[in-house]
Amino acid sequence: MDRRALHAALVEARIPGGYYWIEGVHEPVPTPPDFLFVRRSGDTGWETGAFERGTYEVIARHPDEATACAHLLSLLV
């Protein structure tokens, strides 16, 4: 699963768009006060986490996009 497939799965599951942020695919404007995210981490990895009270909190680091997307999906569905 890549980020676009993740977004499609979340839309299909009717998860509100303000609950998550997917780098380069779904970046709500204005930025919600809190949400779960998936983003690149440096040159080689990916991170999933939560944005809360103006702070990004990394929950997990992943070796690839597919693993990170699967993790975010499991947190939201």
Side-chain angles (χ1 to χ4, degrees):
M1 170 180 294
D2 66 7
R3 288 170 289 153
R4 285 176 177 58
L6 169 62
H7 185 239
L10 293 171
V11 168
E12 186 175 319
R14 296 190 173 154
I15 305 300
Y19 287 14
Y20 59 91
W21 185 91
I22 303 170
E23 180 179 289
V25 174
H26 178 78
E27 300 177 1
V29 175
T31 303
D34 50 85
F35 55 86
L36 295 177
F37 67 85
V38 62
R39 66 183 184 190
R40 293 177 214 268
S41 171
D43 292 335
T44 58
W46 290 81
E47 298 173 334
T48 50
F51 178 83
E52 197 171 33
R53 297 183 186 150
T55 303
Y56 286 93
E57 189 79 32
V58 174
I59 296 171
R61 295 188 189 335
H62 308 277
D64 55 50
E65 180 179 2
T67 306
C69 288
H71 183 236
L72 186 63
L73 182 62
S74 73
L75 293 173
L76 288 164
V77 196

